[in-house]
């Protein structure tokens, strides 16, 4: 890679890595260490082809999705959830419901299968249409729909308290920074 390419890559990493890391954390079920590994591997792959990439963010996100799909296709499952940092403290009484909602949501997402979690992240966090999710995951639109339906049902089963927390957080915080799934009562 030439000097201009290196500088362009550095600027991209500095500007977009935090947003890409958020996606990676969601894809990895809240495991920050696994998310950092996922993102680092994606950036390494992108760096090798940097001069041929037209849309860097879309390219890196595609690598993230495909790497995550490869992980769950290996059927290797971790039995424990590691957390790099303690949960963030609430910014007072008003932020408590929002923080609690994020923690419950992360815990519930971590208990879904990797495939279910990936479909929900792509559909609701990344806001991709079903056709695009099907293309990324290499399956049919019907599979995406059925997996989404079963994943949401399982999420409601795993964390029924999300419905009450979601309403409380919406009332207290008009802008929700983490709500990949609207949970119906």
């Amino acid at each position: 890679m030439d000097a201009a390419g290196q500088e362009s890559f550095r600027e991209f990493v500095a500007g977009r890595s935090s947003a890409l890391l958020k996606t990676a954390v969601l894809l990895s079920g809240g495991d920050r260490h696994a998310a950092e590994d996922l993102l680092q591997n994606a950036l390494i792959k992108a760096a090798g082809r940097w001069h041929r990439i037209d849309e860097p963010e879309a390219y890196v996100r595609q690598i993230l999705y495909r790497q995550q799909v490869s992980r769950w296709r290996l059927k290797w499952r971790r039995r424990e959830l590691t957390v790099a940092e303690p949960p963030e403290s609430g910014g007072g009484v008003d932020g408590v419901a929002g923080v609690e909602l994020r923690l419950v949501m992360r815990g519930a997402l971590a208990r879904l299968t990797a495939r279910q979690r990936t479909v929900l992240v792509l559909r609701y966090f990344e806001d991709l249409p079903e056709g695009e999710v099907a293309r990324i995951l290499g399956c049919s639109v019907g599979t995406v729909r059925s997996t989404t339906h079963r994943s949401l049902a399982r999420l409601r089963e795993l964390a029924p308290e999300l419905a009450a927390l979601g309403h409380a957080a919406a009332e207290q915080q008009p802008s929700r920074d983490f709500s990949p799934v609207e949970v119906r009562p």
Side-chain angles (χ1 to χ4, degrees):
M1 184 181 323
D2 62 356
Q6 286 180 353
E7 184 59 32
S8 170
F9 182 72
R10 283 189 191 114
E11 288 175 8
F12 172 77
V13 171
R16 298 304 304 155
S17 62
S18 64
L20 292 168
L21 182 59
K22 287 179 184 177
T23 300
V25 167
L26 290 171
L27 287 171
S28 64
D31 185 346
R32 178 131 178 141
H33 295 295
E36 289 171 352
D37 289 344
L38 189 67
L39 179 57
Q40 183 176 3
N41 290 336
L43 290 173
I44 288 169
K45 288 181 179 184
R49 300 181 53 94
W50 190 252
H51 63 283
R52 291 183 255 166
I53 300 173
D54 293 329
E55 297 179 38
E57 186 161 353
Y59 187 84
V60 171
R61 285 182 185 276
Q62 184 81 353
I63 294 171
L64 285 172
Y65 306 145
R66 289 187 176 170
Q67 282 183 302
Q68 185 61 26
V69 167
S70 294
R71 285 183 179 183
W72 54 256
R73 281 187 177 156
L74 291 174
K75 297 189 190 248
W76 178 80
R77 308 258 168 111
R78 291 187 64 153
R79 301 273 184 224
E80 61 186 56
L81 174 66
T82 57
V83 180
E85 306 168 358
E88 61 272 3
S89 62
V93 175
D94 291 340
V96 172
V99 170
E100 189 176 357
L101 175 62
R102 283 192 302 275
L103 291 175
V104 170
M105 180 61 76
R106 283 184 185 161
L109 283 172
R111 291 183 284 176
L112 294 175
T113 66
R115 182 182 189 117
Q116 290 173 327
R117 187 172 48 248
T118 301
V119 168
L120 290 180
V121 168
L122 292 173
R123 283 287 291 130
Y124 297 102
F125 181 75
E126 292 292 325
D127 199 26
L128 295 177
E130 292 169 337
E132 181 68 12
V133 174
R135 188 187 64 74
I136 290 170
L137 298 179
C139 62
S140 70
V141 173
T143 300
V144 170
R145 287 180 183 157
S146 63
T147 303
T148 301
H149 177 74
R150 284 191 302 267
S151 301
L152 290 173
R154 178 78 175 133
L155 196 60
R156 289 183 196 104
E157 177 186 313
L158 289 171
E161 64 274 17
L162 283 174
L165 287 174
H167 295 300
E171 291 170 4
Q172 292 181 357
Q173 294 180 336
S175 66
R176 299 182 322 230
D177 57 311
F178 180 74
S179 64
V181 180
E182 293 295 326
V183 179
R184 292 173 274 178

